Amino acid sequence: MGWSTSYQAGSSSSASRSSDSDSETEYERPHFFRRRFASPNSSSLVIKDDNLEASLRRRSPHVASSGESSNGSTLLAPRQHFTRSRSPALNGHAKSSARRHISPAYSRLHRTASHDITFFPTLLEFRIPFFPTSWTWTFSADFRKCGESNILLGAILYASHTIYKLSDMDTNIGQHNLWVVKELLIFSFTVVLYSIWTHSTLLHSRTPTSALPNSKLSTSSSLTSSALASLPSLSPRTSESKDVRRNISLITTPKTDFGFIWMTVPKNYRESSDDGVFTGLLLGPLIAAGLLISALRLSSDDSSRISPLPRQWRIEAPAELYNLRDVPTALDALVRARYNLVDLGTFCSTILLLHVCASWYQEYRCLKRGNTAEGERTSVPRSEGRRSLYYILFTIGITGGIFGLKVLFQQQNFGLWEHLNYFEVVFCALFYQFTLYVAIRLAHRVFTLGELGLVCFGGTAVCMEFFNITIARIRPVTTPFIKTYRLPTPLLTFQIALIAGSLLTGFLLSPFLVLSRHIAQRPVRRLRNPQDKPRNRRLLALGFYIGTVLIVGGVIGMWTRWCLGKRDPWLWIILWLLEGKRKWTRPALLAYWAALGSLSVAGWNRQLARSRRYWHRNSMTSETLVASTVPDGTEQSGMTTTSVAGPSSLSPSMGTVGMTFPALPALPNLPNGTQVASDLLDAADKHVPTLGRNARRKFFHVLAVVMFIPGIAIDPAFTHLSFSAAFALFVFTEYIRYFAIYPFGAAVHLFMNEFLDHRDRGTAILSHFYLLTGCAGSVWLEGPSHLLQFTGILTLGVGDALASIVGKRIGFHRWSPTTSKTLEGSIAFTMSIMGCAWLLRLLGVAESFSTTRYTSVVALSSILEALSDQNDNLTLPLFMWSLLVVADV
């Protein structure tokens, strides 16, 4: 059996990865807050029982129910890295020398646990009694979530104030700005009401505890006692134990502050202490408001009307329509399109909020049906067909209701969503809800609710740009202007062709992809004709590759040629490569990026191959599940070794995760403790360092700085197109990995498997997408200044990497008991970005800027990074870029 067919296709579950003692993520940190007493002023409840604490920290409903199998349920031996001071050959005395070889990071983590200082409490809680009744209104929420929501709300209000100040430029523009401000304020007020409602509880102190409702809905709001607040490791989705509920004398109305899309369950989402609903609701409108403010300021600048392109962008002028109407300039069309984008942002966020509220209300009504399985919800049927049918009906109902609301606004001359026409309302509502459901169903346990809402909003915006460009080309006479949210240059055309085209290719070739994954996942013994498995996989791969070439060269290439004015896109790219500052500038950048990428991949392949070579030496004392191969080619799984095995118990080409690796030269079996073994291993280790998983991931952050800063500094337009091409390449790479496309699927899977953390436990792997999007977002959004285009690189490559290193090394002052982020890390984040910004200014790469405002925005972003549990590679650069634009740095 070939080694490329023996892995679990598409699985990125943590169970298929080795643990890493040097990786100190928040998910892996131990609970340091056991046996903490409640505040004497709040409650007399004291939790001392370890069993009680274990019940409070029991498994999250995110995990699969007992009736559903999950990927990667195998217990794996912990992987130990060998260094110059510790040889794998001496691992036979693991028990006696365990303390001697404890990781420095592990020792530092436990040494400082009892001395950590936290600035904010676990819960923000206050009560208002209703005299003379015995009812009490209680507001209780995770302090981190409150801090995150307040920062985002404050940014939205600041953007609204800035738009209001820009209203005096023109009477017509001022009228539109006032309605945009009202729209943002109304939506912000709605989000505040939602936050208060989901975190509020009515308590009655005289009702006996036996009347406590048996509910599966649980949240930090239900834990109204301050004693329970002293357990910061308790996830808001974790259900309270029955013993604790008996000890609480107050009745808590069951309510959850975790939101869900209609007909979805907790196990569809990534495990997180925060659903990120405020990120999904507010970050999209904030980005749209930042883009609108940027366009309004450009329109008031006479020099920008001559050339609306960002400075130092070597690309042809934006396209304009020439018809019998009063045609606006490219900059005026951009302002009108971004009004439409703000409406689209609040429109999509409203749909997301309706889904969350309707899902919560339906679950509240169905609670009386009884208990549900862990990881399930009472209102969601177990049948996939019924779920899909109910979602389709709900989508049609929401679309019809919003369409009726739009008609009512139009008839009453109410300016909400005035820049969205009827067709856009229907199309965006259907497309946005379609992407919500498809993304959460295909990318299982990959997104939180906030990340899902933000990604689907971006997909809807790109789809609208594609649709509007196509309409402008089909009907150039009747179309008033090209409604794109960026300037309609060839860069935008190629970006839509690359990103939207790569997704369209996967949709059209889905039969080949699904069959390839299905065959790769099935064991040989369960196939009717096992000898045909390699041939079938090769045929499916051939069909996928041929189909990709035909779609890219045919449908996508023809659309790009049509949008470029019947110019060949391939020839256009070749000629454009020679139009940089010098004819050799862009080819030199390509060669530089290719060399760095090739060296990085080759270096990591070498280190990972060495790690796998000695993997079996470090897993001799743990229970290991190995899928063995018998001579006739059949696979036997379930062979469990529980005794201490020697080095020969595992084949050198066999990993401990049920995978078969390429044949690697094995070292001879040397007796433990001999000087010869130590000398050989230490000498080999001198050339290749061993890094923890967190260090491996941060390496790519630093690599992004080294790769992309020269490109943005020298030729940002060419870097814009290169980012789009890299994104499309990542999409096809994920197709190959997830669907096990022969012959590269297994190799890509094994390589990427070494860089995953607790956030990559779903079926799809999106960390590299988030990192690329975070770095490229500030370039794709076409900011008005050159300094803004470095925002993503400085945020992720410099600030986030140094914050992680400093926080883990010297961090003692934590922001909250529920987070591992420290004040020292946030200070390092701010100071490093400020230092790099000033360095770029001194080198003449960036313009002059306001140090005070830039520092304030970076400091606020560092606090958001510390409080938010969303993927900061995606959210943090976009938030910081938007706030920098609003602040006019």
Side-chain angles (χ1 to χ4, degrees):
M1 181 179 62
W3 73 281
S4 62
T5 64
S6 59
Y7 75 104
Q8 188 73 10
S11 172
S12 62
S13 175
S14 62
S16 63
R17 304 177 211 119
S18 58
S19 62
D20 192 345
S21 61
D22 293 329
S23 179
E24 299 172 87
T25 60
E26 179 184 352
Y27 180 84
E28 297 167 341
R29 294 188 65 169
H31 302 296
F32 296 128
F33 305 96
R34 299 182 181 181
R35 295 184 176 88
R36 285 202 173 185
F37 292 86
S39 173
N41 298 328
S42 58
S43 175
S44 60
L45 178 62
V46 177
I47 298 179
K48 289 186 177 182
D49 189 5
D50 288 339
N51 295 330
L52 179 58
E53 294 176 32
S55 64
L56 286 173
R57 289 189 303 271
R58 66 183 182 178
R59 206 165 66 125
S60 170
H62 281 100
V63 297
S65 61
S66 57
E68 178 178 343
S69 61
S70 59
N71 289 339
S73 60
T74 305
L75 287 175
L76 299 179
R79 176 177 173 181
Q80 302 175 5
H81 295 284
F82 59 93
T83 61
R84 300 180 186 178
S85 61
R86 184 179 67 205
S87 170
L90 301 179
N91 222 18
H93 306 285
K95 295 183 179 180
S96 61
S97 60
R99 294 184 178 274
R100 186 186 312 168
H101 301 307
I102 287 179
S103 168
Y106 182 84
S107 301
R108 182 174 59 258
L109 189 66
H110 284 267
R111 184 184 69 250
T112 61
S114 59
H115 302 287
D116 281 348
I117 300 174
T118 57
F119 290 99
F120 302 110
T122 304
L123 294 181
L124 177 64
E125 182 179 279
F126 55 87
R127 302 179 182 182
I128 300 178
F130 296 122
F131 296 107
T133 66
S134 57
W135 291 94
T136 302
W137 177 71
T138 301
F139 179 87
S140 179
D142 188 354
F143 199 95
R144 289 176 56 189
K145 192 171 185 177
C146 289
E148 177 189 6
S149 60
N150 288 333
I151 290 175
L152 292 172
L153 280 172
I156 285 285
L157 296 179
Y158 183 36
S160 303
H161 175 68
T162 303
I163 295 175
Y164 179 78
K165 289 196 304 182
L166 296 174
S167 301
D168 55 356
M169 296 187 307
D170 187 0
T171 305
N172 190 22
I173 290 180
Q175 186 68 21
H176 291 317
N177 286 358
L178 289 179
W179 276 113
V180 168
V181 170
K182 292 178 183 178
E183 182 177 324
L184 292 175
L185 292 179
I186 291 173
F187 181 73
S188 300
F189 180 72
T190 305
V191 173
V192 171
L193 290 181
Y194 168 79
S195 175
I196 294 175
W197 175 249
T198 54
H199 294 90
S200 299
T201 309
L202 279 179
L203 305 173
H204 196 284
S205 58
R206 294 185 179 181
T207 306
T209 58
S210 59
L212 189 68
N214 185 14
S215 172
K216 285 292 178 181
L217 286 176
S218 60
T219 175
S220 58
S221 304
S222 302
L223 302 178
T224 56
S225 173
S226 300
L228 297 182
S230 64
L231 293 176
S233 59
L234 186 62
S235 172
R237 297 197 192 195
T238 306
S239 302
E240 312 99 306
S241 65
K242 296 181 180 179
D243 296 334
V244 174
R245 290 201 295 263
R246 292 193 191 100
N247 292 331
I248 299 177
S249 59
L250 300 177
I251 289 184
T252 302
T253 302
K255 192 181 300 179
T256 178
D257 62 343
F258 266 75
F260 302 94
I261 301 299
W262 181 259
M263 289 295 117
T264 59
V265 295
K267 62 186 178 183
N268 293 138
Y269 300 87
R270 174 172 67 83
E271 288 191 34
S272 174
S273 61
D274 178 16
D275 61 352
V277 62
F278 295 106
T279 298
L281 293 175
L282 298 175
L283 190 52
L286 177 61
I287 297 171
L291 287 169
L292 175 61
I293 292 171
S294 174
L296 290 174
R297 286 176 178 154
L298 285 176
S299 63
S300 63
D301 188 3
D302 295 335
S303 61
S304 299
R305 287 191 170 273
I306 300 175
S307 178
L309 287 169
R311 298 172 185 174
Q312 299 182 357
W313 282 51
R314 299 179 179 272
I315 189 67
E316 60 188 57
E320 296 181 2
L321 294 179
Y322 299 96
N323 49 38
L324 300 179
R325 298 189 177 189
D326 183 16
V327 181
T329 63
L331 191 55
D332 292 334
L334 182 66
V335 172
R336 297 186 187 182
R338 290 185 176 177
Y339 278 120
N340 178 272
L341 181 62
V342 176
D343 288 349
L344 180 63
T346 57
F347 180 80
C348 293
S349 296
T350 301
I351 293 177
L352 181 64
L353 187 60
L354 289 175
H355 270 260
V356 173
C357 294
S359 180
W360 174 86
Y361 178 72
Q362 183 68 13
E363 179 69 12
Y364 181 78
R365 289 185 56 191
C366 295
L367 280 176
K368 58 184 179 181
R369 296 181 181 178
N371 298 330
T372 57
E374 191 175 8
E376 298 289 344
R377 303 177 71 224
T378 309
S379 59
V380 180
R382 300 295 297 269
S383 172
E384 294 291 341
R386 292 179 61 189
R387 287 187 188 183
S388 300
L389 176 61
Y390 292 163
Y391 189 88
I392 292 173
L393 295 177
F394 183 78
T395 298
I396 296 174
I398 288 292
T399 304
I402 289 184
F403 180 79
L405 196 62
K406 168 64 179 177
V407 173
L408 180 63
F409 289 162
Q410 192 78 15
Q411 291 178 352
Q412 299 298 325
N413 293 325
F414 199 63
L416 294 183
W417 301 336
E418 64 177 346
H419 299 281
L420 293 174
N421 56 44
Y422 292 135
F423 175 79
E424 289 174 338
V425 167
V426 175
F427 178 80
C428 291
L430 292 175
F431 184 84
Y432 181 72
Q433 295 178 89
F434 171 77
T435 54
L436 284 175
Y437 193 72
V438 170
I440 202 64
R441 298 302 298 167
L442 294 182
H444 188 66
R445 301 185 68 183
V446 171
F447 300 103
T448 63
L449 178 63
E451 296 165 359
L452 176 67
L454 183 60
V455 169
C456 292
F457 166 68
T460 304
V462 173
C463 180
M464 288 303 300
E465 287 183 318
F466 164 76
F467 181 79
N468 290 327
I469 288 179
T470 306
I471 290 297
R473 293 293 302 174
I474 294 176
R475 302 164 52 187
V477 177
T478 57
T479 303
F481 62 95
I482 304 177
K483 190 186 296 184
T484 57
Y485 310 128
R486 279 86 50 83
L487 291 171
T489 63
L491 294 178
L492 180 61
T493 302
F494 275 99
Q495 184 184 61
I496 294 176
L498 288 168
I499 296 179
S502 61
L503 300 176
L504 177 64
T505 301
F507 176 77
L508 296 178
L509 299 179
S510 56
F512 294 96
L513 298 175
V514 172
L515 288 175
S516 177
R517 176 178 168 86
H518 176 72
I519 293 177
Q521 281 186 316
R522 297 198 66 181
V524 176
R525 66 176 183 276
R526 298 182 61 182
L527 297 176
R528 290 185 178 180
N529 301 312
Q531 66 278 4
D532 294 338
K533 180 176 181 179
R535 181 175 61 86
N536 292 337
R537 295 191 68 233
R538 290 185 178 92
L539 290 177
L540 290 172
L542 181 62
F544 171 75
Y545 295 137
I546 294 177
T548 300
V549 172
L550 293 178
I551 294 175
V552 172
V555 178
I556 300 174
M558 292 174 60
W559 181 86
T560 308
R561 177 188 178 91
W562 179 50
C563 292
L564 291 177
K566 298 183 179 180
R567 291 178 291 178
D568 185 81
W570 310 104
L571 183 60
W572 188 94
I573 288 291
I574 294 174
L575 296 177
W576 191 61
L577 283 175
L578 305 177
E579 296 178 0
K581 290 184 178 181
R582 303 286 188 274
K583 288 189 176 181
W584 50 267
T585 303
R586 290 171 176 171
L589 278 175
L590 279 180
Y592 174 72
W593 292 334
L596 281 181
S598 301
L599 289 175
S600 301
V601 172
W604 280 114
N605 269 331
R606 184 181 177 214
Q607 176 172 351
L608 299 178
R610 289 175 54 79
S611 300
R612 293 169 189 147
R613 186 182 308 174
Y614 300 109
W615 199 340
H616 62 280
R617 293 182 179 270
N618 297 325
S619 58
M620 295 183 294
T621 60
S622 302
E623 182 176 343
T624 306
L625 184 65
V626 180
S628 62
T629 305
V630 295
D632 60 355
T634 60
E635 186 183 43
Q636 295 177 351
S637 60
M639 299 178 60
T640 305
T641 305
T642 57
S643 60
V644 177
S648 61
S649 61
L650 295 176
S651 172
S653 62
M654 181 72 68
T656 59
V657 292
M659 305 178 188
T660 308
F661 301 99
L664 297 172
L667 289 180
N669 289 332
L670 300 174
N672 291 334
T674 62
Q675 186 64 31
V676 178
S678 299
D679 291 343
L680 284 176
L681 295 176
D682 291 342
D685 191 48
K686 290 180 181 179
H687 301 284
V688 181
T690 301
L691 298 177
R693 180 167 288 116
N694 184 66
R696 299 177 197 172
R697 295 171 66 89
K698 297 307 176 185
F699 166 81
F700 287 98
H701 288 238
V702 178
L703 180 64
V705 175
V706 178
M707 289 185 68
F708 301 140
I709 279 189
I712 298 176
I714 297 174
D715 199 335
F718 182 67
T719 308
H720 182 293
L721 181 58
S722 302
F723 278 140
S724 302
F727 192 95
L729 180 62
F730 282 0
V731 172
F732 283 105
T733 303
E734 184 62 14
Y735 287 158
I736 292 173
R737 185 206 66 84
Y738 181 79
F739 294 102
I741 302 299
Y742 182 87
F744 307 108
V748 174
H749 177 80
L750 293 179
F751 178 80
M752 298 180 64
N753 207 44
E754 298 292 338
F755 303 95
L756 309 183
D757 66 354
H758 65 283
R759 296 179 180 179
D760 298 308
R761 296 177 178 270
T763 53
I765 301 177
L766 300 182
S767 291
H768 50 302
F769 287 95
Y770 289 157
L771 179 60
L772 178 65
T773 304
C775 294
S778 54
V779 180
W780 285 343
L781 295 177
E782 301 175 358
S785 70
H786 203 183
L787 178 63
L788 287 175
Q789 297 167 17
F790 291 96
T791 301
I793 305 295
L794 297 182
T795 302
L796 301 181
V798 179
D800 186 53
L802 285 181
S804 176
I805 295 173
V806 173
K808 294 179 188 302
R809 294 290 178 181
I810 61 174
F812 290 93
H813 302 81
R814 292 192 297 153
W815 285 100
S816 170
T818 59
T819 179
S820 61
K821 307 297 179 62
T822 62
L823 176 64
E824 290 82 0
S826 300
I827 293 175
F829 180 95
T830 304
M831 294 181 63
S832 61
I833 293 181
M834 283 301 304
C836 291
W838 266 106
L839 181 61
L840 293 174
R841 174 69 182 94
L842 294 177
L843 294 176
V845 177
E847 308 90 343
S848 59
F849 58 93
S850 172
T851 304
T852 303
R853 282 177 288 180
Y854 194 87
T855 305
S856 301
V857 172
V858 174
L860 192 63
S861 302
S862 69
I863 298 175
L864 180 66
E865 188 269 342
L867 297 179
S868 177
D869 198 34
Q870 307 308 297
N871 197 309
D872 51 8
N873 291 349
L874 174 67
T875 61
L876 193 60
L878 296 175
F879 171 82
M880 185 173 168
W881 183 92
S882 303
L883 207 55
L884 286 173
V885 171
V886 174
D888 194 18
V889 173

